[in-house]
Amino acid sequence: RAEIDGPIVAVPILVGPASDRPSFLPTTHTGATSMKTGILISVGALAAAVLAAATLPQDAKPHYPETLTPTPPSRQAQDQTVMQDAMRKAAAVNDQHRDFGKCVGTWQVKYTCTMDAGPPQEGTGTSTFETIMGGRYLVEHASGTMAPMGPFQGMGILGFNNTTNEYEHVWLCDQGTGLMTSHGTRLPDGSVSMTGEYIDPITKAKSTCQTTWRDLSENEKRFEMTCKQPEKEMRMEALYTRGQVGMR
């Protein structure tokens, strides 16, 4: 006896008068003839269904996704160790951060600002420096008066990114609502040179600024900045003098 490999499809055999059969089956004028016709059609449909099921290819069966292989515990521990080591290096306090502590205190500042070819504008102010986050960042709280903007307050945050090996600085003040961000490196002469950008509130154009911090002595520093646009240039110099080391 031949065996059929595949699912068995049950097909009902329709018998009875034509009036009781679905409308899609043909009808005849006599009950006997219609019964015979119904039986023949039903048997033929059953045979066709069984034959089709027997000839289905094996790969036509439903495919279920394979179970993902879990990461071995040893690999998980290795990945976690690598991640922890990278985070530890990124958060380490290095020599660049320890240098921030040398700036802590209150400094008197003299500003000189020049717009294009115009005459220099002068101003004065006070800046207080402190370190935060375990010495990882240096924060400057600045206030003063400088033409043409008049009285101002500002804040600068300086950090050294262990991941990129670069200094990063952000400046904000009450003369606007934007941020000036800069990044750069320490030069062989010990000065820190950075390049930054901000959007000029007057021209709405992007200004590229080159800034340099120089240590003149333990209690003297000079900050220089040159900002350029296609048809505009601004230069500023700030001389910092600390009267009492460590004073906040």
Side-chain angles (χ1 to χ4, degrees), residues 211-224:
T211 64
T212 305
W213 282 94
R214 302 181 188 276
D215 291 336
L216 304 180
S217 68
E218 183 180 358
N219 295 313
E220 285 185 307
K221 297 179 180 292
R222 184 169 66 228
F223 174 75
E224 302 167 346

Side-chain angles (χ1 to χ4, degrees), residues 126-146:
T126 301
S127 286
T128 301
F129 289 86
E130 64 174 340
T131 58
I132 61 172
M133 306 292 177
R136 292 173 175 83
Y137 302 95
L138 178 66
V139 180
E140 176 185 7
H141 302 276
S143 62
T145 302
M146 185 172 62

Side-chain angles (χ1 to χ4, degrees), residues 39-247:
I39 294 175
L40 290 176
I41 293 176
S42 299
V43 171
L46 175 61
V50 171
L51 179 61
T55 57
L56 281 176
Q58 292 299 319
D59 58 1
K61 296 179 180 180
H63 176 72
Y64 298 97
E66 298 179 0
T67 303
L68 296 178
T69 303
T71 304
S74 59
R75 175 62 182 277
Q76 292 179 359
Q78 181 181 3
D79 292 345
Q80 186 174 10
T81 300
V82 171
M83 179 186 68
Q84 291 175 345
D85 185 59
M87 295 303 297
R88 186 164 46 248
K89 291 179 179 178
V93 177
N94 296 321
D95 291 340
Q96 294 87 347
H97 308 101
R98 284 186 279 271
D99 284 343
F100 295 159
K102 300 177 182 179
C103 299
V104 172
T106 300
W107 302 67
Q108 303 305 314
V109 189
K110 293 183 178 180
Y111 301 101
T112 302
C113 182
T114 304
M115 299 292 296
D116 297 322
Q121 303 286 335
E122 296 183 347
T124 58
T126 301
S127 286
T128 301
F129 289 86
E130 64 174 340
T131 58
I132 61 172
M133 306 292 177
R136 292 173 175 83
Y137 302 95
L138 178 66
V139 180
E140 176 185 7
H141 302 276
S143 62
T145 302
M146 185 172 62
M149 60 184 182
F152 73 92
Q153 288 186 333
M155 175 184 292
I157 302 176
L158 176 66
F160 181 80
N161 190 329
N162 291 331
T163 303
T164 61
N165 288 320
E166 285 190 327
Y167 288 91
E168 297 177 351
H169 184 266
V170 59
W171 171 261
L172 58 154
C173 71
D174 61 0
Q175 299 297 309
T177 53
L179 302 175
M180 176 179 170
T181 58
S182 308
H183 63 92
T185 58
R186 185 179 293 276
L187 301 180
D189 64 0
S191 61
V192 176
S193 177
M194 292 185 284
T195 301
E197 292 181 343
Y198 77 98
I199 303 299
D200 189 305
I202 300 174
T203 64
K204 305 298 189 297
K206 180 183 293 185
S207 291
T208 301
C209 301
Q210 186 69 36
T211 64
T212 305
W213 282 94
R214 302 181 188 276
D215 291 336
L216 304 180
S217 68
E218 183 180 358
N219 295 313
E220 285 185 307
K221 297 179 180 292
R222 184 169 66 228
F223 174 75
E224 302 167 346
M225 179 173 68
T226 301
C227 298
K228 294 183 178 181
Q229 295 181 21
E231 299 179 356
K232 184 178 179 181
E233 180 176 299
M234 186 272 289
R235 296 183 303 277
M236 189 186 77
E237 178 180 298
L239 181 62
Y240 289 73
T241 304
R242 179 168 52 187
Q244 205 172 350
V245 178
M247 182 178 67

